Amino acid sequence: MKALFKPASGTSTSKNSIGGAAWVPEGTQVPVCRCCGAVLQLFVQFDVQRQFALPFREGSHFVLSLCPKCNEIPMFDTYAGQQLPARYWEKNVGNHHAALYRPTDAWAPAPGVDLLRAFDLVFTEQAPASESFQIGGEPCWVQEAEHFTCSCGAEMRLLLQIPENHPFPKLESAPEQPDSFSSDDYCAFLGNEVYVFACEKQCDERAVWITVQN
Ligand SMILES: [Zn+2]
Ligand SMILES: [Zn+2]
């Protein structure tokens, strides 16, 4: 399944979006950057829908937020081909927060910074790879294939793939992102090809591992 981007009118209130407010279970603590303490910017979020044919529970909600200042890859230890260590989501660089929240009836918008133009995500089977995100399916590796096993023993399965140098257009009022390929756009993890995996058993809402290639 592909996700395409449709400009949102004003600030997006959709739970399927780029930019806008992150939707999280009510009472969730708002994460900050572990490197610099900055409030994180929502980059992408979406609900897991039946049509995605993912192994995750329908109605789960994926949120990826990044530090607007600490533009860096997500991790220095790759753990490729290995079992991820306990609480591996705390063993990344600390410049992002990724979660696959379990279904609930109590979603609330989280306070956050608002630096990106908001887009609503539209889901379709067909779209050029350069103009869309890949949701689920098999990862399309730029380099050698990587494979991960969750610390709980379950397989990590592809949730989302973001193409290399995908632009996240910033608001005019927002400062430039350090080390982006564009003065008008932010990028995710220095503009690398981004692969987001989640534990197929959803053993923890933070059981998400991100690897990058270029
Ligand atoms: Zn930071
Ligand atoms: Zn797990």
Side-chain angles (χ1 to χ4, degrees):
M1 183 64 66
K2 307 276 189 182
L4 279 164
F5 326 108
K6 190 168 78 89
S9 51
T11 300
S12 175
T13 54
S14 171
K15 279 176 75 208
N16 303 300
S17 75
I18 287 174
W23 287 83
V24 297
E26 248 171 30
T28 301
Q29 215 183 351
V30 178
V32 296
C33 177
R34 297 204 313 275
C35 306
C36 75
V39 176
L40 304 181
Q41 164 71 49
L42 173 77
F43 270 56
V44 55
Q45 64 179 343
F46 57 85
D47 285 336
V48 171
Q49 300 178 17
R50 186 182 304 250
Q51 57 171 338
F52 299 167
L54 287 167
F56 313 117
R57 285 166 65 190
E58 188 180 353
S60 300
H61 185 64
F62 171 67
V63 174
L64 173 62
S65 301
L66 281 86
C67 177
K69 296 174 186 158
C70 300
N71 191 8
E72 183 50 86
I73 60 170
M75 59 7 179
F76 296 123
D77 295 315
T78 69
Y79 302 111
Q82 301 171 33
Q83 186 162 18
L84 293 163
R87 300 188 72 78
Y88 51 89
W89 46 91
E90 293 171 355
K91 297 185 164 71
N92 56 37
V93 163
N95 61 344
H96 67 282
H97 184 273
L100 182 59
Y101 297 110
R102 300 183 186 100
T104 171
D105 291 329
W107 298 103
V113 285
D114 197 14
L115 303 173
L116 296 183
R117 277 179 59 199
F119 293 81
D120 291 332
L121 293 180
V122 180
F123 304 102
T124 170
E125 291 289 353
Q126 297 293 334
S130 59
E131 294 167 25
S132 61
F133 292 168
Q134 174 71 33
I135 296 182
E138 289 300 315
C140 182
W141 296 104
V142 176
Q143 306 275 347
E144 262 182 66
E146 297 178 33
H147 177 259
F148 303 97
T149 306
C150 185
S151 54
C152 78
E155 293 302 310
M156 300 296 287
R157 300 280 296 270
L158 185 74
L159 178 57
L160 172 69
Q161 181 171 349
I162 301 174
E164 197 168 352
N165 284 345
H166 179 83
F168 292 82
K170 75 175 191 67
L171 294 172
E172 265 179 46
S173 56
E176 286 184 24
Q177 182 193 37
D179 301 319
S180 178
F181 59 86
S182 158
S183 55
D184 296 327
D185 306 295
Y186 283 25
C187 60
F189 305 116
L190 292 173
N192 282 281
E193 189 90 16
V194 177
Y195 306 84
V196 180
F197 291 85
C199 169
E200 66 178 4
K201 292 277 185 316
Q202 293 183 259
C203 62
D204 191 290
E205 65 191 20
R206 301 293 316 284
V208 175
W209 185 248
I210 300 177
T211 191
V212 297
Q213 292 190 348
N214 62 49

